Amino acid sequence: MKRPVILDVDTGVDDSIALLLAMKLPQLNVKAVTTVSGNVHVDEVTESTKTVLGLVDHTAVRVGKGSSVSLRHTRFHAPEVHGSDGLGNVRKKYEQFKARIKTERAVPLILDVVRNNDTSVTIIATGPLTNIARAVQKDIRIMRRVKEIISMGGSFEYRGNTGPLAEFNYYVDPDAVDVVARAGIPLTIVPLNITETVPLHREEIVGWSRLSRTHGAEFIKDVTKFYMDYHKKTESFNGGYMHDPLAVAIAAVPGLVKRIKRLPLLIETEGTFTSGTTLTRDAKGSEKRAPVVSVITKIDRQRFWKIFRKTLFPLPD
Ligand code: RIB
Ligand code: CA
């Protein structure tokens, strides 16, 4: 039985790979893809998401465009990491494939799929949680039918990647994290301190795509060039973290998770310098009143890479 999922994405280079992975993994049934502002403006996210969907069989997938601003009506993007189009500035090369799918509105689409699917749906959120929070605010009763929200975000006892402490998705909309964590829906967090243990190196991609020679492999080689150049410049490694593909792989193969902890989630929403920071305790015992979430603390990296390569870079028969 395939796991019915909704992907909520801020495509994004790693989101685009996560989307391809989700569409190809036999364990998942992607019912809808909703877009949210994050890496780039939601208009760009939506165009790029539909371009990626055009590379695979997308007949059964609905697309919904979501929020252009956070719950607090702020905007924050990362074009220096993902390119101005969110696809490493290579979307124009693949635009011809763009899926001709009607663009619905994200929040009504999420609620419609959750309400009408005959089994409970999992939401894989690889961007800021704005759309999910808005869906909770609109109809918490329906949203409580969601089986699990798997969210790539946050950073626990580790560095941030947006400022010294905050992870990007939770920095962009910390209020949305708090709304979703308090909604009474099982929330599993795939944090930065785990996703930064799965860096993909340029030479791997080049070698794999040369052997695989599939459309998808060629796209991944193209789309990651800008993203990997960014890390070469800023972290002196020629590669890029597979944050969002890891979240998708965990939804498909829960056995990838080797250790998970139930922890109180404190999300900083007011800090001048620390907004978006995730903590599990503070000096005043605030954790006693905090929502408890599941935080992944260990994964099987070798098995992840095996699934990643086999699915996205299949060798010709
Ligand atoms: O911090 C990494 C996360 O923020 C990833 O999901 C990346 O795509 C950006 O959305
Ligand atoms: Ca993302």
Side-chain angles (χ1 to χ4, degrees):
M1 171 77 174
K2 284 178 173 269
R3 185 173 192 176
V5 297
I6 295 171
L7 259 71
D8 189 74
V9 296
D10 65 329
T11 307
V13 172
D14 58 325
D15 301 73
S16 72
I17 300 169
L19 182 51
L20 285 177
L21 190 62
M23 296 297 289
K24 289 168 182 276
L25 281 170
Q27 298 90 343
L28 301 180
N29 174 7
V30 180
K31 310 290 287 184
V33 183
T34 48
T35 61
V36 66
S37 235
N39 287 318
V40 290
H41 187 279
V42 69
D43 293 347
E44 295 292 346
V45 172
T46 307
E47 286 306 296
S48 291
T49 298
K50 290 168 80 167
T51 300
V52 176
L53 282 171
L55 299 175
V56 291
D57 172 14
H58 54 271
T59 35
V61 177
R62 295 166 68 181
V63 171
K65 181 176 169 184
S67 179
S68 63
V69 291
S70 70
L71 293 189
R72 214 174 274 209
H73 301 285
T74 57
R75 294 170 198 272
F76 188 82
H77 303 310
E80 73 283 2
V81 185
H82 296 267
S84 55
D85 63 0
L87 289 183
N89 296 330
V90 303
R91 186 170 76 205
K92 48 192 170 305
K93 177 178 174 186
Y94 291 89
E95 212 123 49
Q96 57 185 305
F97 301 106
K98 191 170 78 176
R100 300 187 194 303
I101 304 176
K102 178 171 69 111
T103 305
E104 303 175 59
R105 288 185 304 123
V107 172
L109 175 54
I110 290 169
L111 292 171
D112 185 51
V113 172
V114 172
R115 179 188 296 111
N116 295 314
N117 203 63
D118 48 10
T119 58
S120 78
V121 171
T122 296
I123 296 176
I124 308 171
T126 63
L129 291 174
T130 315
N131 290 339
I132 316 303
R134 289 225 161 100
V136 166
Q137 290 171 332
K138 190 153 178 64
D139 194 331
I140 194 164
R141 201 177 37 81
I142 293 292
M143 286 300 282
R144 282 184 172 158
R145 294 187 199 174
V146 168
K147 178 183 172 68
E148 181 182 21
I149 297 170
I150 298 174
S151 164
M152 190 279 133
S155 185
F156 294 87
E157 292 170 26
Y158 187 68
R159 68 178 187 169
N161 61 2
T162 307
L165 292 173
E167 177 280 329
F168 179 85
N169 288 334
Y170 287 14
Y171 175 83
V172 169
D173 198 342
D175 303 288
V177 178
D178 199 47
V179 166
V180 172
R182 294 179 186 281
I185 304 166
L187 175 60
T188 301
I189 293 180
V190 189
L192 187 73
N193 46 294
I194 296 297
T195 62
E196 286 200 347
T197 67
V198 285
L200 181 58
H201 297 277
R202 188 79 199 147
E203 69 270 11
E204 287 171 308
I205 278 258
V206 172
W208 294 351
S209 52
R210 192 177 298 127
L211 286 172
S212 179
R213 293 202 306 277
T214 59
H215 228 28
E218 178 68 15
F219 167 79
I220 295 173
K221 184 170 72 72
D222 286 349
V223 79
T224 49
K225 179 75 176 69
F226 186 93
Y227 184 63
M228 293 184 166
D229 286 348
Y230 169 81
H231 290 94
K232 199 161 61 173
K233 278 194 294 269
T234 57
E235 300 199 18
S236 60
F237 93 92
N238 190 5
Y241 301 110
M242 290 296 109
H243 307 290
D244 299 341
L246 178 60
V248 163
I250 286 168
V253 184
L256 285 175
V257 177
K258 302 320 283 177
R259 195 174 54 237
I260 192 162
K261 285 187 180 167
R262 294 285 293 158
L263 294 168
L265 179 67
L266 298 173
I267 174 89
E268 179 56 64
T269 57
E270 304 305 330
T272 307
F273 308 113
T274 57
S275 183
T277 301
T278 44
L279 299 163
T280 58
R281 58 187 170 76
D282 74 350
K284 304 189 297 290
S286 308
E287 60 275 13
K288 296 187 190 67
R289 292 177 302 284
V292 176
V293 299
S294 299
V295 179
I296 292 174
T297 57
K298 190 173 181 204
I299 56 149
D300 184 338
R301 290 187 292 164
Q302 278 68 30
R303 194 174 171 201
F304 165 69
W305 286 122
K306 217 162 139 218
I307 293 166
F308 183 91
R309 182 174 179 183
K310 183 165 149 275
T311 311
L312 293 172
F313 297 88
L315 294 175
D317 298 332

